[in-house]
């Protein structure tokens, strides 16, 4: 499958093909020889001091926690393992995201949650100090945590036209018509575009949602604007989570995720151990071996569930 706005993924194989289509734009990592198979995180816990955990496909699918995931986190804590959620979910300010995990039954503290939104907000001043941002966000997002002048780009008909740059946090309100408007305004006035969620898709109970990375890569094909992707698999996210997990040797930490081109590639590039969870996310119902071979992105471990 070529990358196209008109070819949204229906299956995990479709989503993988989209990631393969943009693989040349992603970070590179030294190849690993082979993956070990295990039943769950408990079987490999002794090899690591801490775990960075993707949310979708690892802790939850859509609005429900994965069976056994809450108990597994408690088990890892009891064994003295450091835990941190590392998510590309940029739609929520930190308090809302922590509340979401608590509602699902997890006990993560604010310091144990790193989202791509956190990473993006930490680097905005470096990208363009004093710039104003047109923010593409979820409905009701107060944008109070953004450390720069900003406005809701979708609150008024001409909101995308204003601002020194575009900050893309959420695709919850995004449409193909808005995508066309954004393309048009960037042709007329090129500006920085920060994609604060590089995911192409996210697993939901009934299929896949299209995420900001999907629309960002479509912009890259058509316009070649000044695009900056922040979040997995890019290095800024792993640097932040490394600090949250104690700042030790990255190889003593493991990135746990359901997607080869974000979680596993990013973890490999950062020097983390990597664990691919296959039963709930992008690869649910699929034999993952051909996809590992085709992508040449090899996790250290493959497990069906957390």
């Amino acid at each position: 499958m070529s990358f196209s706005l008109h070819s949204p993924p229906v299956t995990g194989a479709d989503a993988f093909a989209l990631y393969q289509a943009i693989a040349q734009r992603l970070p590179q990592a030294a190849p690993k020889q082979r993956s070990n198979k295990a039943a769950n995180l408990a079987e490999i816990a002794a090899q690591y001091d801490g775990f960075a955990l993707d949310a979708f496909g690892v802790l939850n699918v859509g609005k429900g926690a994965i069976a056994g995931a809450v108990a597994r986190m408690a088990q890892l804590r009891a064994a003295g393992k450091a835990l941190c959620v590392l998510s590309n979910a940029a739609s929520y300010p930190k308090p809302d995201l922590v509340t979401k995990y608590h509602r699902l039954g997890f006990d993560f503290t604010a310091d144990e949650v790193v989202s791509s939104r956190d990473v993006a907000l930490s680097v905005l001043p470096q990208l363009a100090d004093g710039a104003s941002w047109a923010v593409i966000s979820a409905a009701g997002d107060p944008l109070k945590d953004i450390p720069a002048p900003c406005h809701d780009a979708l609150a008024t008909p001409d909101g995308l036209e204003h601002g020194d740059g575009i900050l893309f946090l959420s695709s919850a309100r995004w449409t193909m018509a808005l995508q066309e408007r954004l393309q048009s305004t960037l042709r007329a006035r090129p500006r920085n575009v920060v994609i604060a969620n590089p995911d192409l898709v996210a697993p939901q109970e009934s299929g896949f949602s299209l995420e900001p990375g999907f629309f960002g890569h479509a912009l890259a094909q058509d316009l070649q604007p000044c695009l900056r992707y922040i979040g997995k698999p890019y290095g800024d996210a792993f640097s932040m989570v490394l600090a949250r997990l104690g700042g030790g040797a990255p190889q003593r930490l493991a990135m746990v995720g359901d997607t080869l081109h974000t979680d596993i590639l990013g973890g490999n590039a950062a020097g983390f151990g990597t664990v691919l969870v296959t039963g709930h996310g992008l690869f649910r119902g699929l034999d993952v071996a051909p996809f590992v071979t085709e992508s040449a992105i090899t996790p250290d471990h493959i497990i069906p569930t957390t």
Side-chain angles (χ1 to χ4, degrees):
M1 177 187 292
S2 61
F3 190 91
S4 169
L5 279 173
H6 304 292
S7 301
V10 175
T11 67
D14 292 339
F16 173 85
L18 288 178
Y19 277 111
Q20 280 291 92
I22 54 97
Q24 72 278 6
R25 302 177 190 158
L26 302 178
Q28 302 299 305
K32 295 187 177 184
Q33 295 300 312
R34 60 186 295 271
S35 301
N36 299 310
K37 292 187 177 181
N40 51 52
L41 287 179
E43 290 194 1
I44 62 173
Q47 300 178 43
Y48 300 103
D49 298 327
F51 293 91
L53 302 133
D54 184 29
F56 283 86
V58 174
L59 300 175
N60 65 288
V61 175
K63 297 180 180 180
I66 290 170
V70 172
R72 183 73 65 219
M73 295 304 104
Q75 182 184 21
L76 293 174
R77 284 196 192 281
K81 306 302 177 181
L83 302 176
C84 186
V85 179
L86 177 55
S87 173
N88 278 352
S91 297
Y92 305 99
K94 173 64 72 67
D96 293 353
L97 196 58
V98 173
T99 297
K100 172 189 173 181
Y101 295 134
H102 289 176
R103 187 172 62 250
L104 291 170
F106 298 100
D107 63 352
F108 301 114
T109 67
D111 286 341
E112 292 176 326
V113 175
V114 173
S115 72
S116 54
R117 180 178 180 130
D118 298 331
V119 185
L121 300 189
S122 74
V123 302
L124 278 187
Q126 304 166 29
L127 293 177
D129 191 24
S132 63
W133 296 89
V135 185
I136 301 167
S137 61
D141 188 336
L143 308 180
K144 291 181 179 180
D145 56 337
I146 296 177
C150 66
H151 67 274
D152 181 344
L154 306 184
T156 60
D158 61 349
L160 287 169
E161 282 70 40
H162 298 291
D164 302 315
I166 305 290
L167 175 59
F168 203 146
L169 296 177
S170 173
S171 57
R173 294 188 286 165
W174 201 241
T175 65
M176 294 303 177
L178 288 170
Q179 180 79 6
E180 292 176 2
R181 269 185 50 202
L182 180 58
Q183 290 172 328
S184 177
T185 188
L186 289 173
R187 288 191 187 100
R189 182 163 70 96
R191 287 169 284 165
N192 288 329
V193 180
V194 175
I195 306 294
N197 177 352
D199 285 353
L200 302 184
V201 299
Q204 308 293 338
E205 293 94 333
S206 59
F208 295 100
S209 58
L210 298 180
E211 299 301 316
F214 180 87
F215 299 102
H217 284 289
L219 289 175
Q221 291 194 152
D222 296 341
L223 297 172
Q224 299 292 318
C226 185
L227 274 166
R228 172 75 182 268
Y229 296 91
I230 297 178
K232 297 172 296 182
Y234 302 94
D236 289 340
F238 289 90
S239 295
M240 182 175 284
V241 82
L242 180 62
R244 297 289 178 89
L245 286 171
Q251 64 268 25
R252 292 295 305 167
L253 306 172
M255 178 68 225
V256 185
D258 74 305
T259 305
L260 289 169
H261 292 84
T262 57
D263 307 305
I264 305 306
L265 176 60
N268 286 349
F272 285 42
T274 50
V275 184
L276 181 68
V277 180
T278 60
H280 311 288
L282 191 142
F283 294 109
R284 60 187 170 190
L286 299 173
D287 175 10
V288 74
F291 300 101
V292 170
T293 300
E294 182 179 347
S295 66
I297 302 170
T298 305
D300 291 298
H301 309 277
I302 298 175
I303 60 177
T305 191
T306 304

